[in-house]
Amino acid sequence: MKQKEPVMTRPQLTTDEVRHLPPVVDVPTAAQVLGIGRTAAYELIRTNAWPTPVVRLGKSIRVPSGPLLDLVGVAR
């Protein structure tokens, strides 16, 4: 019987870490703030279902931290 490979997960950020995010973050970091996976985050963005504004810079996608903090209820 094959053993399952361990899944690499990023721990959810603490409130203090979220409060000190830079003005814009990458999608994996934004997903971490919301407690969802990277793949799910990219899918939400692709389908225009991501709950905050998204900035596209060429092939890069960034998420402004302000609206993300407002969404999770963390004061700046």
Side-chain angles (χ1 to χ4, degrees):
M1 186 155 130
K2 280 188 174 182
Q3 280 188 309
K4 288 186 177 182
E5 292 290 321
V7 177
M8 299 290 290
T9 59
R10 297 171 96 181
Q12 195 164 358
L13 297 172
T14 65
T15 302
D16 196 46
E17 290 171 326
V18 171
R19 194 174 285 123
H20 291 95
L21 288 173
V24 292
V25 295
D26 60 9
V27 175
T29 302
Q32 195 175 9
V33 170
L34 297 182
I36 64 172
R38 174 185 165 277
T39 304
Y42 279 109
E43 182 65 14
L44 288 170
I45 291 169
R46 187 185 70 76
T47 60
N48 294 319
W50 184 259
T52 65
V54 173
V55 177
R56 287 179 165 81
L57 304 165
K59 290 185 177 184
S60 296
I61 300 172
R62 298 290 183 256
V63 178
S65 297
L68 195 58
L69 295 176
D70 293 341
L71 180 67
V72 296
V74 173
R76 297 176 233 189

